[in-house]
Amino acid sequence: MTPIAPLIETFLRDTLACQRGASRHTRDSYASSFQLLFVFAADRLKVKPSALTLEQIDAGLVSAFLEHLEDERKNAAVTRNVRLAAIKSFFRFLEYRQPAALEQIRRVLAIPFKKTDTRLVPYLLREELQAVLDAPDPATRDGIRDRSRCSTRS
């Protein structure tokens, strides 16, 4: 049985912070995801979070956790996907450190993200829209071209 705590600590402190240069916000988000996962797993498996092992965090448990996020905690699919991204990132990290768990890792990595509707910009205020239309510089050739494109579309 492989304790999961040292692996998570190495992932969050060394891999994310030092090797990948992840921001503090990203590391905090990932840590929050794992905290939620471990509380859920400990409750489901009737063990203390500190006693969890890598072998216990399998695809079935991760899938149940994701369902729990949506059904019980009323999280949106986008939030569910953020939590899953953190879990998948950790399991990709494990591929190189826990070769005995490759089949378990493969199954967790195969869990799909939920499709979500995403908008590049949800809406623009009138002033913001006017700023976009006024952005092309009429003193340059490209600006003249871009202004003419804006005026033909509006």
Side-chain angles (χ1 to χ4, degrees):
M1 293 292 195
T2 310
I4 202 160
L7 295 168
I8 286 290
E9 183 177 4
T10 301
F11 175 70
L12 291 172
R13 291 196 180 167
D14 297 338
T15 304
L16 282 183
C18 299
Q19 295 174 14
R20 294 189 190 167
S23 71
R24 177 78 179 155
H25 178 73
T26 299
R27 294 191 315 264
D28 289 346
S29 174
Y30 277 36
S32 176
S33 297
F34 295 122
Q35 181 182 14
L36 290 170
L37 173 63
F38 296 159
V39 167
F40 173 82
D43 184 54
R44 171 76 55 106
L45 300 169
K46 307 292 187 234
V47 297
K48 291 182 180 179
S50 60
L52 287 170
T53 65
L54 175 60
E55 293 77 11
Q56 292 172 310
I57 310 297
D58 60 6
L61 184 92
V62 171
S63 294
F65 168 67
L66 296 171
E67 288 176 23
H68 164 77
L69 290 177
E70 288 186 290
D71 298 341
E72 305 296 320
R73 294 181 55 93
K74 305 296 184 208
N75 289 160
V78 172
T79 304
R80 172 206 183 273
N81 287 344
V82 168
R83 304 297 185 208
L84 179 57
I87 294 166
K88 284 186 170 194
S89 182
F90 174 63
F91 274 79
R92 280 191 295 276
F93 159 82
L94 291 175
E95 283 181 302
Y96 299 97
R97 287 168 178 76
Q98 297 295 321
L102 283 176
E103 184 60 26
Q104 172 190 356
I105 292 167
R106 185 188 63 76
R107 288 188 180 140
V108 170
L109 292 177
I111 297 171
F113 289 101
K114 274 207 169 170
K115 294 190 189 250
T116 60
D117 293 331
T118 57
R119 295 180 177 169
L120 186 58
V121 178
Y123 65 90
L124 292 175
L125 300 174
R126 182 175 298 273
E127 299 82 27
E128 294 169 328
L129 180 59
Q130 192 60 49
V132 169
L133 294 173
D134 292 340
D137 182 7
T140 66
R141 185 176 180 172
D142 289 341
I144 294 168
R145 179 203 63 208
D146 292 345
R147 269 193 188 249
S148 68
R149 288 184 179 174
C150 288
S151 63
T152 60
R153 291 184 184 157
S154 45

